[in-house]
């Protein structure tokens, strides 16, 4: 029923095969590669660099000399992430686009870290968290919240393609376990999030958007 449905989660379930276009200096390339390896390492996803005798790359980092990587609603964006996933929610490919236009260079490391987080499957912008993918906090580097987000997304009990309410229950249990909160108290955590999700699901069903 609709209480088990919602927005499917996506994450890597196979090794990342990484390729970086070499249209920039080695220092920027190395930083981008190390950023992806750092994030993947937090959740134990293997990373290898694409080689002529290896499978085709599934993760491309593209540096561009254009003034903007993408445009969103008419607004300029110096960096962007594009993900594809299969019907089960497994990430199949990622493309990060990073602008080297001079006025963006002072934000280059932030851009790479921000988009690489998206490239791990975290596609939202959680403005209530102190996160590098929040525009409100606008952090330059990963925070403790970012590491928790990654670990929760890749928790063994949380499966790719799992829908929102079922996923929320698992995330709540994982957080409670990490914080040492007894199960009888854990069920009260995040009650507002469940109410919002349930209302959203009900409206989607009424509109015929969820079977």
């Amino acid at each position: 029923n609709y209480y088990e449905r919602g927005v499917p989660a996506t994450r890597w379930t196979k090794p990342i095969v990484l390729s970086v276009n070499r249209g920039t200096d080695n220092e920027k390339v190395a930083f981008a590669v190390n950023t992806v390896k750092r994030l993947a390492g937090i959740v134990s996803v293997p990373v290898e660099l694409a080689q002529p005798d290896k499978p085709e790359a599934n993760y491309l980092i593209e540096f561009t000399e254009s003034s903007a990587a993408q445009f969103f609603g008419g607004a300029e964006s110096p960096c962007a992430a594009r993900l594809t996933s299969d019907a089960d929610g497994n990430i199949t490919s990622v493309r990060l686009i990073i602008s080297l236009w001079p006025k963006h260079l002072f934000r280059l490391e932030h851009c790479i870290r921000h988009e690489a987080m998206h490239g791990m499957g975290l596609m939202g912008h959680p403005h209530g968290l102190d996160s590098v993918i929040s525009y409100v906090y606008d952090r330059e580097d990963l925070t403790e919240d970012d590491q928790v987000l990654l670990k929760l997304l890749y928790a063994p009990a949380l499966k790719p393609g799992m829908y929102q309410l079922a996923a929320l229950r698992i995330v709540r249990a994982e957080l409670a376990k990490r914080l040492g909160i007894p199960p009888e108290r854990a069920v009260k955590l995040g009650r507002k999030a469940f109410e919002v999700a349930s209302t959203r699901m009900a409206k989607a069903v009424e509109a015929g958007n969820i079977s």
Side-chain angles (χ1 to χ4, degrees):
N1 60 45
Y2 69 79
Y3 288 105
E4 302 299 316
R5 305 295 297 274
V7 180
T10 58
R11 69 183 185 193
W12 286 99
T13 53
K14 61 181 180 180
I16 292 172
V17 184
L18 183 63
S19 177
V20 185
N21 74 320
R22 300 287 167 167
T24 185
D25 63 78
N26 289 334
E27 184 177 346
K28 294 183 180 65
V29 169
F31 181 82
V33 169
N34 289 334
T35 296
V36 174
K37 287 183 175 180
R38 175 187 177 192
L39 296 181
I42 292 171
V43 290
S44 301
V45 174
V47 178
E48 59 182 296
L49 296 179
Q51 302 293 335
D53 60 340
K54 295 290 184 181
E56 183 178 353
N58 54 24
Y59 195 124
L60 172 65
I61 302 176
E62 180 181 340
F63 290 97
T64 175
E65 298 292 340
S66 299
S67 60
Q70 296 286 322
F71 289 84
F72 296 98
E76 180 180 305
S77 175
C79 49
R82 294 289 177 263
L83 277 72
T84 58
S85 58
D86 63 22
D88 295 321
N90 306 295
I91 297 176
T92 55
S93 68
V94 168
R95 181 185 177 210
L96 303 189
I97 311 167
I98 310 295
S99 173
L100 295 176
W101 196 250
K103 74 174 183 177
H104 298 318
L105 287 179
F106 80 102
R107 297 285 287 165
L108 185 66
E109 292 186 359
H110 166 81
C111 263
I112 291 171
R113 292 183 179 115
H114 180 111
E115 302 305 338
M117 282 284 283
H118 290 326
M120 294 304 297
L122 291 162
M123 290 308 298
H125 296 97
H127 299 312
L129 291 176
D130 185 4
S131 168
V132 75
I133 52 175
S134 165
Y135 296 136
V136 173
Y137 285 91
D138 198 31
R139 297 300 184 193
E140 184 69 20
D141 199 358
L142 302 185
T143 66
E144 184 177 351
D145 285 352
D146 285 316
Q147 296 191 51
V148 171
L149 280 175
L150 272 173
K151 290 176 181 178
L152 289 174
L153 180 61
Y154 284 78
L158 189 65
K159 305 299 182 184
M162 185 173 284
Y163 287 92
Q164 188 176 11
L165 289 176
L168 279 173
R169 284 192 279 271
I170 290 173
V171 166
R172 177 172 63 187
E174 288 285 338
L175 278 173
K177 184 166 60 176
R178 290 171 184 274
L179 294 171
I181 297 174
E184 61 273 17
R185 289 181 55 199
V187 296
K188 299 179 182 180
L189 292 175
R191 184 168 290 170
K192 183 65 176 179
F194 279 90
E195 291 173 357
V196 170
S198 297
T199 301
R200 190 175 297 151
M201 295 306 104
K203 289 181 179 178
V205 171
E206 291 172 2
N209 294 329
I210 295 178
S211 59

